[in-house]
Amino acid sequence: KAGVTQTPRYLIKTRGQQVTLSCSPISGHRSVSWYQQTPGQGLQFLFEYFSETQRNKGNFPGRFSGRQFSNSRSEMNVSTLELGDSALYLCASSLGDGGNTEAFFGQGTRLTVV
Amino acid sequence: GESVGLHLPTLSVQEGDNSIINCAYSNSASDYFIWYKQESGKGPQFIIDIRSNMDKRQGQRVTVLLNKTVKHLSLQIAATQPGDSAVYFCAETNNFNKFYFGSGTKLNVKP
């Protein structure tokens, strides 16, 4: 079956702009989590969506937001981009029902803010 | 690779040797732990997990050990192969949909 698909793979944006990243989970998975990965901070949890509702949230400013659609696809949005937002953004999908906890990651979207 | 930081600890091993990667976790309430492998240009890949009611779990060529007393997790890889070269992360949680990741260890396998 198809894995987790993230689009686009690479993005270059200018400070102050906004960006939307997309994640299509594995078929049947209802939970989508987003992570930011940087060399300095490592992998940091942004938020998690389950059945179109944000179920968990990390410690990122309100400029970072997300949503999930009825088909479980998820988008995350970053507004008013800052240079420090340059990172690899990863999404992970899982069943999310607490029984099977294995999460599968996509390849990520590499965002560069200039 | 995408996950390599300037100051990632590196473990260099000879092909065929066993590797042991260590991780200290912070939350004594964490009850589920995972090891992930991340190769250059790819997202993290699940290797093995362990619940807090266990102290050892074995997979294919990998073993995870959990010491809750000192909040320490280790990943042992038997007969390390060049394909094992990657960055390895441990992750902990007490909420199955919100994980906290360690900073990672780069494993370099020398042929």
Side-chain angles (χ1 to χ4, degrees):
Chain A
K1 58 182 175 182
V4 179
T5 304
Q6 290 188 247
T7 57
R9 286 293 312 277
Y10 303 93
L11 265 180
I12 299 176
K13 290 286 188 177
T14 306
R15 271 182 304 174
Q17 286 186 313
Q18 67 92 28
V19 67
T20 299
L21 313 181
S22 179
C23 173
S24 293
I26 290 171
S27 177
H29 285 190
R30 295 164 65 193
S31 169
V32 175
S33 300
W34 288 90
Y35 291 83
Q36 181 195 65
Q37 186 173 32
T38 59
Q41 299 296 321
L43 273 154
Q44 292 188 288
F45 176 81
L46 281 154
F47 28 65
E48 183 242 354
Y49 286 86
F50 179 82
S51 292
E52 301 179 66
T53 301
Q54 187 181 87
R55 189 164 61 170
N56 290 283
K57 190 177 187 304
N59 298 319
F60 280 78
R63 298 186 298 108
F64 292 81
S65 63
R67 60 178 176 169
Q68 187 179 35
F69 302 95
S70 58
N71 62 357
S72 293
R73 189 178 71 86
S74 177
E75 290 181 345
M76 68 163 282
N77 183 277
V78 189
S79 62
T80 320
L81 283 165
E82 301 175 359
L83 295 178
D85 297 332
S86 295
L88 180 68
Y89 290 88
L90 292 158
C91 82
S93 83
S94 68
L95 290 171
D97 59 3
N100 183 332
T101 53
E102 184 172 345
F104 296 84
F105 282 84
Q107 288 190 289
T109 294
R110 166 66 68 184
L111 172 64
T112 302
V113 182
V114 297
Chain B
E2 303 288 18
S3 64
V4 174
L6 291 176
H7 303 290
L8 268 184
T10 299
L11 174 66
S12 292
V13 301
Q14 205 69 39
E15 181 180 358
D17 287 351
N18 296 334
S19 303
I20 300 176
I21 300 171
N22 296 302
C23 176
Y25 64 93
S26 55
N27 187 356
S28 55
S30 291
D31 56 10
Y32 179 64
F33 307 86
I34 307 179
W35 279 100
Y36 282 94
K37 170 187 180 183
Q38 188 172 24
E39 296 173 282
S40 181
K42 296 183 179 180
Q45 178 185 3
F46 174 95
I47 302 173
I48 191 168
D49 60 358
I50 189 167
R51 303 273 173 137
S52 60
N53 60 353
M54 303 171 69
D55 53 22
K56 180 180 180 178
R57 189 162 187 228
Q58 287 184 289
Q60 186 178 15
R61 278 202 310 120
V62 294
T63 301
V64 55
L65 298 178
L66 173 63
N67 185 330
K68 295 183 288 293
T69 302
V70 295
K71 291 190 285 187
H72 183 267
L73 195 66
S74 69
L75 176 69
Q76 301 177 1
I77 304 173
T80 314
Q81 302 168 359
D84 295 327
S85 293
V87 178
Y88 289 80
F89 295 94
C90 65
E92 59 175 305
T93 189
N94 61 356
N95 169 339
F96 291 114
N97 299 294
K98 181 177 182 179
F99 289 92
Y100 295 94
F101 283 79
S103 55
T105 296
K106 183 178 181 183
L107 177 64
N108 179 33
V109 181
K110 296 175 286 187

